[in-house]
Amino acid sequence: MLTGFWAAFRLRTWTEHVGIDLPGHENSHRFSAGWIARALFLPHHTDHHYEHHLSPQVPCYRLPQLRATMALDRPVLTLKGLFNPAVRTD
């Protein structure tokens, strides 16, 4: 609990906001994660955090439906793409 929780919490925080500062965009990453990552450190559809910033009134369990209906020009990266700057297109 002393080490594992804080490591997962820091990673989750990083996937939400850290390292992005785009004018005219919501300051949040737009990415998708596999079921293992969602089960271990991205609960409650944290990988849909960008959509949460666009529509904060939508409950977390409806965020995947919201992403499917939104037509945005910003691509959805993979979790691996967040860690690999060569893959990013921000």
Side-chain angles (χ1 to χ4, degrees):
M1 178 74 176
L2 292 175
T3 59
F5 170 78
W6 290 110
F9 183 75
R10 179 66 181 136
L11 183 59
R12 178 181 169 190
T13 303
W14 186 84
T15 61
E16 293 174 354
H17 298 283
V18 175
I20 190 164
D21 187 21
L22 299 173
H25 289 85
E26 294 296 325
N27 285 328
S28 178
H29 295 287
R30 189 164 191 235
F31 71 99
S32 64
W35 69 272
I36 293 175
R38 288 193 316 263
L40 292 177
F41 58 89
L42 297 170
H44 308 292
H45 298 290
T46 304
D47 56 333
H48 292 75
H49 199 70
Y50 183 81
E51 288 77 13
H52 163 71
H53 276 265
L54 294 176
S55 300
Q57 72 278 10
V58 176
C60 65
Y61 55 87
R62 298 221 189 242
L63 289 174
Q65 297 167 349
L66 179 65
R67 178 180 280 179
T69 60
M70 296 178 90
L72 298 173
D73 59 349
R74 190 161 180 194
V76 178
L77 298 174
T78 62
L79 187 58
K80 184 178 180 180
L82 289 178
F83 293 100
N84 187 356
V87 176
R88 295 185 65 181
T89 59
D90 293 343

